[in-house]
Amino acid sequence: MEARAKRLKLAVLISGGGSNLQAMIDQAEAGRLHAQIVLVVSSNPEAYGLTRAQNHGIKTAVVDYGKYGRKNLPTITRSSLPDHFGDLVERQRIYSGLPAHRLEDRLARLVLAEQEIVGLLEPLNPDLVCLAGFMRLLSPFFIEHYCGEGTYRVMNIHPALLPAFPGSHGYEDTFSYGCRFGGITVHFVDEGEDTGPIIAQAVYPIWPEDTLDLVKKRGLELEYALYSQCIQWMAQGDLLVEKAEDGRPRVLILDPDYPRFMEQLTQQSFARNPI
Ligand code: GRF
């Protein structure tokens, strides 16, 4: 463990099985991840990840997005939305091609759920919010709470090699496209969908006889190792976001062990899967 690492206060958002959450819990308990998970929030009341957290004495909460769906909430009152909702509509980049009234309705429902999440997180003041299999889009309302000029406090794991295959079917899209290599990406979250600055990526081979299940298994092993390591880099103060010449933010990893870590991870992911 790096001596200069501070203990990061993490909030983790999930929607399902929570195997990435489990990897974080295991790494933290083993002393390899200098972080304390202060709250796990699930968008789905049935998520098994909630049980995983509770098994380790971690506080959990559910923000049921279903509650804000059209069926349960046919109309939305303007007073339940933030004053600058109009500005959020202008800024948003997650929905495209929708007529204005539908876009506003969709965004409003997201914002209502996010207000509830922010309300739960606020008193805990997390250093970082990690999305771990969180299957909901985040609006600029949520992002502006945790990110500012050049500051990013929301991290995500994406099951493909971005910018290829954004969206929620990274493994399926990689496999059905016939890629020879698949990959995973840990990135900071910005106001777009899977467009935020890339922190680290790892690749695995896809052999002719492979099935989708095998591809997912291989990718998930990499997810578990790389996600925790990126959080640890943040705890160590080893992640720096700079503006590149083209104006895009670029993440620098200052840890001198970064190349060695990536080399080992890549060797493992190739060695485990001989032709
Ligand atoms: C992972 O593949 C993650 O990259 C994606 O959803 C899956 C979630 O798995 N966003 P789990 O809930 O962590 O088991």
Side-chain angles (χ1 to χ4, degrees):
M1 169 80 55
E2 276 282 329
R4 65 205 157 103
K6 89 171 208 204
R7 201 146 181 252
L8 271 194
K9 277 200 282 175
L10 287 190
V12 184
L13 307 191
I14 62 165
S15 301
S19 62
N20 272 291
L21 166 69
Q22 186 68 56
M24 288 175 204
I25 296 172
D26 294 345
Q27 296 284 57
E29 287 184 354
R32 285 189 292 270
L33 172 59
H34 218 145
Q36 184 201 358
I37 302 174
V38 291
L39 184 66
V40 170
V41 181
S42 175
S43 63
N44 160 18
E46 308 293 328
Y48 180 62
L50 290 168
T51 308
R52 291 186 192 267
Q54 286 151 9
N55 286 344
H56 292 261
I58 297 168
K59 245 176 83 181
T60 59
V62 173
V63 172
D64 186 354
Y65 275 57
K67 207 166 67 181
Y68 299 108
R70 212 179 266 277
K71 207 171 86 197
N72 294 318
L73 186 67
T75 50
I76 298 171
T77 52
R78 189 67 182 75
S79 60
S80 56
L81 294 167
D83 290 344
H84 67 308
F85 181 69
D87 170 53
L88 299 175
V89 174
E90 291 293 307
R91 266 164 48 203
Q92 76 82 31
R93 290 193 277 123
I94 49 179
Y95 298 123
S96 61
L98 290 176
H101 68 283
R102 286 200 49 213
L103 188 154
E104 286 189 20
D105 182 70
R106 287 237 194 138
L107 200 70
R109 291 172 192 283
L110 265 194
V111 170
L112 288 177
E114 290 171 1
Q115 285 184 146
E116 203 182 323
I117 300 180
V118 169
L120 292 165
L121 299 191
E122 207 91 302
L124 302 169
N125 194 22
D127 299 302
L128 182 67
V129 179
C130 285
L131 313 182
F134 184 66
M135 304 309 279
R136 298 288 174 165
L137 293 169
L138 288 174
S139 84
F141 172 79
F142 188 87
I143 301 302
E144 73 188 7
H145 267 83
Y146 300 101
C147 306
E149 255 309 291
T151 310
Y152 296 87
R153 288 202 294 141
V154 184
M155 217 184 255
N156 184 38
I157 177 84
H158 180 76
L161 210 56
L162 291 172
F165 309 126
S168 46
H169 304 289
Y171 288 123
E172 290 79 358
D173 294 344
T174 302
F175 185 69
S176 62
Y177 197 89
C179 295
R180 304 299 192 213
F181 293 91
I184 59 147
T185 304
V186 180
H187 65 98
F188 284 123
V189 179
D190 68 4
E191 293 188 356
E193 185 184 4
D194 299 325
T195 53
I198 289 172
I199 301 168
Q201 295 183 302
V203 291
Y204 57 85
I206 302 174
W207 304 114
E209 66 277 19
D210 279 347
T211 59
L212 175 61
D213 278 350
L214 211 56
V215 162
K216 275 191 189 169
K217 195 165 166 272
R218 225 171 266 156
L220 278 166
E221 297 261 329
L222 289 174
E223 290 190 30
Y224 304 150
L226 192 63
Y227 204 2
S228 292
Q229 182 58 60
C230 289
I231 301 167
Q232 176 60 14
W233 281 324
M234 180 126 175
Q236 289 172 199
D238 276 337
L239 297 184
L240 202 68
V241 186
E242 278 197 345
K243 213 173 220 173
E245 273 177 21
D246 60 6
R248 270 189 65 83
R250 205 144 302 169
V251 181
L252 301 181
I253 300 174
L254 307 178
D255 183 353
D257 270 346
Y258 161 66
R260 196 169 34 215
F261 173 82
M262 290 311 306
E263 201 177 353
Q264 269 175 13
L265 196 64
T266 311
Q267 270 169 13
Q268 282 165 21
S269 98
F270 278 60
R272 241 186 270 126
N273 308 294
I275 304 172

